[in-house]
Amino acid sequence: MHKQLIDIGLTFYLSTYYKSKMSYIEPAPIKDKDNPLESMMQRFDKAVDLLGISEEMYYILKVPRKQVTVGLPVMMDSGKIQTFEGYRVIHSTILGPSKGGIRFDPDVNLDEVRALAAWMTWKCAVVDIPYGGAKGGVACNPREMSSGEIERLMRAYTTALLDVFGPDQDIPAPDMGTGPREMAWLMDEYSKSKGMTIPAVVTGKPLVLGGSLGRTEATGRGVMVSALAGMEKLRINPYRATAAVQGFGNVGSHAALLLRERGVAIHAISDISGAYYNSKGIDVADAVAYREANNGSLEGYTKAEPISGDDLFTLPVDVLVPAAKEDVITRKNVASIQARMIVEGANGPTSAKADDIINEKGIMVVPDILANAGGVTVSYFEWVQNRIGYKWTLERINRRTDRIMKDAFDKVYETSLKYKVSLRIAAYIVAIDKVASTYKYRGGF
Ligand code: NAD
């Protein structure tokens, strides 16, 4: 019964297709069954079973509150009008206004956005911030679009969703393919429509528009805090510990820098150009400086030995941090992992099928919905600062982020002992229990 997907979200279809002279970007087909989002739903089902949640509650939690699909005709630089398809899914508003990023990527489709929106509900609940979950996206390829085209697309998307967004309703943020620049356009378009400046409608804005100090490194910082909390449980001394980090972008490089600051020797890092290993430990600050001077890439980094991306996963390190992309730890490579801990900086880096083998091997996994929640936590702080019209110091933001992450880790850890489950299933239990209990108290809604 639980496997049945009841497809009854409230769907508003607002497409406005131009009758002639238009081109149309076909949304990507729905991906196969063994994708990270399907993996997430398998863990959700497992946690729900352990919690003994009723069937009614199961569907309340599973089916999104609202799904909006919008057709977005955009004037391209060529003078032609191209129509894009965009989505916004509000999975839950039980804990508060919904929160979630906007993804600009050719692979965006409604199914993916639905699952990512649910993911946000669990992530916000696990770190106990008063937000529901949402996600948005447009099927487009920003890498092939000019800045003007992206701006017109972002403004069209905002206009189409004016009734959905709002500082007390639904608060977007950046995701793959969008950043502070796009959030500034969204804030401007929304503010114009309301006749006043409303910074709290979106987070991840540039600092000058009310963005928060500490947001850039927040996710990496949360990874560091949860890695240290896990090491403490496993009695690993950070000053004698080693780590390997896959992905040297925002999350991976900040996690590596901050772990290094706490004494952990970073033996390997990688990015799309390849993986780099140094048995004496990589000078992370030097690698960041190299990347900055080298067009954002580690290609040609000579202070470490090049190894294959696959080999990075099998190194005899204490901590492995996948911080690049989804579905990188699978049944195929899990057997050769030697790390004692995996801290998931990326979303969905481990497939559900690899979970059992990881558990059998006794590897501790700090799951994505906990480990990378530092980002949404500082987004929440940005919203709070915008609402009170005040700016906090970096020191205050870091202190509060660290406390939220550590409290969340401790709660998940205790839950894992109570239910005798992995930290991953425990994190889902904490999140689902919180949303379900809130729903019960509120009734109705
Ligand atoms: P990013 O684009 O800044 O960095 C991604 C890095 O991964 C780049 O260095 C890229 O070269 C590398 N990479 C890509 N494919 C690779 C491969 N096959 N092997 C090795 N490296 C590869 O992205 P980011 O913001 O750091 O996000 C990374 C992950 O963290 C994503 O899964 C994202 O959803 C997740 N995440 C990010 C945030 C955030 O605040 N940025 C918050 C929560 C979760």
Side-chain angles (χ1 to χ4, degrees):
M1 185 63 156
H2 283 178
K3 295 278 174 266
Q4 270 181 317
L5 185 69
I6 294 197
D7 198 358
I8 53 157
L10 179 59
T11 302
F12 298 110
Y13 198 83
L14 304 174
S15 298
T16 28
Y17 296 115
Y18 273 38
K19 296 260 180 327
S20 61
K21 287 191 188 164
M22 66 153 207
S23 52
Y24 174 61
I25 301 284
E26 193 74 45
I30 288 166
K31 286 179 182 166
D32 66 37
K33 284 246 160 205
D34 191 17
N35 64 37
L37 307 168
E38 191 61 32
S39 285
M40 190 260 289
M41 291 319 286
Q42 285 178 30
R43 280 109 175 209
F44 169 77
D45 284 355
K46 208 178 258 184
V48 160
D49 282 346
L50 284 163
L51 272 169
I53 288 225
S54 69
E55 195 183 309
E56 286 106 321
M57 185 58 77
Y58 177 82
Y59 286 114
I60 288 170
L61 298 180
K62 183 159 183 168
V63 179
R65 281 304 85 129
K66 188 185 282 189
Q67 298 178 182
V68 183
T69 301
V70 287
L72 305 166
V74 172
M75 178 71 77
M76 305 306 275
D77 293 347
S78 65
K80 277 191 84 178
I81 289 166
Q82 189 161 338
T83 300
F84 298 86
E85 197 157 301
Y87 314 96
R88 186 74 182 167
V89 176
I90 313 286
H91 172 259
S92 171
T93 52
I94 295 172
L95 299 182
S98 48
K99 185 93 191 79
I102 297 168
R103 184 171 280 195
F104 278 10
D105 189 80
D107 283 343
V108 163
N109 61 57
L110 183 58
D111 217 38
E112 179 183 81
V113 177
R114 277 168 66 111
L116 290 167
W119 215 320
M120 285 305 298
T121 302
W122 314 133
K123 199 180 284 193
C124 293
V126 91
V127 282
D128 202 14
I129 56 179
Y131 280 149
K135 202 80 183 187
V138 178
C140 65
N141 191 347
R143 288 171 295 278
E144 289 174 1
M145 294 167 71
S146 70
S147 158
E149 288 168 344
I150 296 172
E151 176 172 355
R152 291 191 288 279
L153 176 60
M154 193 68 218
R155 289 186 185 275
Y157 180 75
T158 309
T159 304
L161 292 166
L162 281 178
D163 293 343
V164 175
F165 296 149
D168 289 309
Q169 272 173 265
D170 178 40
I171 308 143
D175 192 69
M176 216 188 271
T178 64
R181 180 182 72 158
E182 286 73 17
M183 300 307 111
W185 291 327
L186 190 157
M187 187 271 231
D188 181 65
E189 199 64 28
Y190 183 84
S191 296
K192 273 196 303 202
S193 81
K194 304 289 172 190
M196 59 185 141
T197 297
I198 308 179
V201 69
V202 60
T203 64
K205 300 179 290 295
L207 260 184
V208 70
L209 291 191
S212 180
L213 291 169
R215 176 61 189 92
T216 313
E217 60 273 34
T219 307
R221 188 171 185 91
V223 169
M224 174 273 288
V225 173
S226 40
L228 290 189
M231 283 187 221
E232 199 182 321
K233 299 292 179 199
L234 296 179
R235 297 183 191 284
I236 300 173
N237 176 349
Y239 286 90
R240 296 217 189 106
T242 56
V245 181
Q246 185 208 27
F248 205 61
N250 177 291
V251 179
S253 64
H254 285 110
L257 274 170
L258 292 164
L259 281 168
R260 183 67 207 110
E261 267 178 35
R262 265 72 179 174
V264 180
I266 309 298
H267 275 194
I269 54 176
S270 73
D271 71 1
I272 194 77
S273 73
Y276 307 86
Y277 170 76
N278 187 332
S279 61
K280 294 197 180 94
I282 287 171
D283 179 342
V284 184
D286 177 74
V288 169
Y290 180 86
R291 181 196 65 186
E292 294 309 302
N294 194 37
N295 242 335
S297 169
L298 287 171
E299 179 138 39
Y301 189 61
T302 50
K303 294 184 186 162
E305 184 192 322
I307 56 169
S308 80
D310 290 343
D311 287 348
L312 179 139
F313 281 95
T314 63
L315 292 172
V317 288
D318 296 294
V319 185
L320 179 61
V321 180
K325 54 197 271 258
E326 69 285 354
D327 219 7
V328 293
I329 299 175
T330 63
R331 268 182 312 175
K332 289 189 193 130
N333 64 359
V334 65
S336 42
I337 289 179
Q338 299 192 61
R340 295 172 65 192
M341 263 182 88
I342 298 171
V343 186
E344 295 184 336
N347 283 318
T350 309
S351 79
K353 287 175 182 158
D355 275 356
D356 290 342
I357 306 170
I358 286 178
N359 295 340
E360 276 163 27
K361 285 172 69 113
I363 301 172
M364 174 191 274
V365 179
V366 187
D368 45 14
I369 59 169
L370 169 61
N372 70 34
V376 75
T377 302
V378 177
S379 280
Y380 165 60
F381 292 160
E382 178 176 335
W383 178 80
V384 171
Q385 292 169 83
N386 293 159
R387 312 243 20 194
I388 59 177
Y390 190 71
K391 265 192 175 298
W392 293 346
T393 59
L394 182 60
E395 190 269 332
R396 171 175 289 205
I397 287 159
N398 286 344
R399 187 163 26 88
R400 291 185 171 178
T401 308
D402 293 359
R403 199 192 62 223
I404 286 187
M405 292 303 300
K406 179 69 170 55
D407 287 353
F409 181 93
D410 288 345
K411 184 151 194 197
V412 168
Y413 190 80
E414 281 157 27
T415 307
S416 80
L417 296 180
K418 180 174 164 197
Y419 284 86
K420 298 188 173 51
V421 290
S422 64
L423 292 182
R424 186 189 307 287
I425 298 302
Y428 278 90
I429 290 177
V430 167
I432 293 166
D433 190 35
K434 166 142 199 207
V435 180
S437 331
T438 311
Y439 190 88
K440 272 190 208 143
Y441 273 110
R442 291 183 57 165
F445 199 68

